[in-house]
Amino acid sequence: MVLTILQQLTLKHSAVRAILGLPEKDAPTARAPSVEPTSMQPTIPVQNLSPKELLALSVKHLSREEKDQAVLLLKLALERDPEYVKAMVVMGQTLMQKGLMEDAIEYLERAISKLSLAGHPTEVENVDLLILSSQWAGVVYMKQGKKAEGLAQLETIASLKEPEDPKSKAHYFDGLLLLASALFDFGRKAEALKFLKLVVAYNPKYNYLLEELKNEEYDFASNLASSRRRDY
């Protein structure tokens, strides 16, 4: 169940697309700054782009589902700035989508380590990146059969203070929903119930899942996965 839900919370989710700089699915593709030629502007070689510009160009390729090109650009960005956390997170998520789990977890763990170096981050973007990288690290570990490690990543989200920023808050409660799902899979119903109550307080659309869990007359796994699919 956790894998199904986490897969739904990747690039299809509008909030996740926003934090990565991707356009909405039906929106026109944005132009990467200072990259493509116009009638008055020549093409700038990739070798001359800054890490930020390389990330912007990789995001443009991701919006076209051109993952291989995006990976090459992200590698170049990280060669030039090995501390560029956002590029690590985008790289990890992209490799996860390509099915390269060992490589994906390496980048995601590096990002999590950097973001957590001085304790929990406080800047809005870094909080977002920690929540997202923890979600994605969770799914990678689950796909590898390392369920305990995956659960630990999702529990990281619960240890954070509830963000005030609306996008960060949405990510945060997505993470708690995933955590409730994982805890249920581990047979820890009471804890799953606690986090699901918090999710329902934020978004009442999930109240039916809460009632089913309380009454134990449910197929919680399939219903939760189905509810996430309806969001996209």
Side-chain angles (χ1 to χ4, degrees):
M1 171 178 60
V2 177
L3 297 183
T4 302
I5 301 166
L6 276 162
Q7 288 162 350
Q8 296 297 325
L9 288 172
T10 55
L11 293 180
K12 291 183 180 179
H13 194 301
S14 61
V16 176
R17 297 180 71 85
I19 190 63
L20 297 184
L22 292 175
E24 294 299 322
K25 288 182 287 184
D26 298 326
T29 302
R31 294 174 63 84
S34 303
V35 171
E36 291 196 345
T38 65
S39 58
M40 302 296 293
Q41 176 184 348
T43 302
I44 299 177
V46 169
Q47 290 77 7
N48 295 338
L49 297 179
S50 68
K52 186 175 180 180
E53 289 170 329
L54 288 165
L55 176 62
L57 185 55
S58 76
V59 165
K60 183 171 183 179
H61 282 292
L62 287 173
S63 71
R64 297 171 173 170
E65 303 295 327
E66 297 168 349
K67 297 182 182 67
D68 291 339
Q69 295 92 324
V71 167
L72 292 174
L73 292 165
L74 290 166
K75 283 182 178 179
L76 184 56
L78 287 166
E79 285 175 6
R80 295 182 180 177
D81 183 1
E83 305 297 310
Y84 196 5
V85 173
K86 190 171 184 179
M88 294 177 201
V89 176
V90 178
M91 176 70 95
Q93 199 278 339
T94 303
L95 292 170
M96 180 186 77
Q97 291 232 322
K98 285 172 60 65
L100 302 174
M101 300 304 167
E102 291 290 343
D103 294 333
I105 200 62
E106 178 183 343
Y107 284 100
L108 292 170
E109 287 283 16
R110 280 174 57 193
I112 291 167
S113 177
K114 296 286 184 186
L115 290 164
S116 306
L117 191 60
H120 292 326
T122 55
E123 294 183 7
V124 171
E125 182 179 58
N126 287 343
V127 170
D128 270 326
L129 291 174
L130 180 57
I131 292 171
L132 291 172
S133 56
S134 296
Q135 286 183 14
W136 295 334
V139 74
V140 171
Y141 278 128
M142 295 286 185
K143 280 180 171 287
Q144 293 176 319
K146 300 176 181 178
K147 294 186 177 182
E149 291 89 339
L151 179 62
Q153 292 295 339
L154 296 176
E155 288 178 325
T156 297
I157 300 168
S159 71
L160 299 173
K161 180 181 177 182
E162 180 183 328
E164 295 182 4
D165 177 76
K167 288 180 181 177
S168 301
K169 189 187 291 284
H171 295 163
Y172 174 79
F173 282 103
D174 280 341
L176 294 190
L177 180 62
L178 294 166
L179 177 57
S181 169
L183 289 167
F184 179 80
D185 283 348
F186 271 81
R188 293 160 59 178
K189 177 185 170 183
E191 293 171 87
L193 188 61
K194 179 184 76 171
F195 288 110
L196 190 53
K197 284 180 179 178
L198 294 175
V199 172
V200 170
Y202 169 73
N203 189 345
K205 69 179 282 187
Y206 295 114
N207 187 63
Y208 74 97
L209 292 173
L210 181 61
E211 293 304 315
E212 290 175 346
L213 185 59
K214 286 180 179 177
N215 296 331
E216 298 191 41
E217 296 174 356
Y218 55 90
D219 184 349
F220 186 62
S222 64
N223 282 346
L224 185 49
S226 296
S227 71
R228 299 308 305 172
R229 284 194 291 271
R230 288 197 296 269
D231 289 344
Y232 309 107

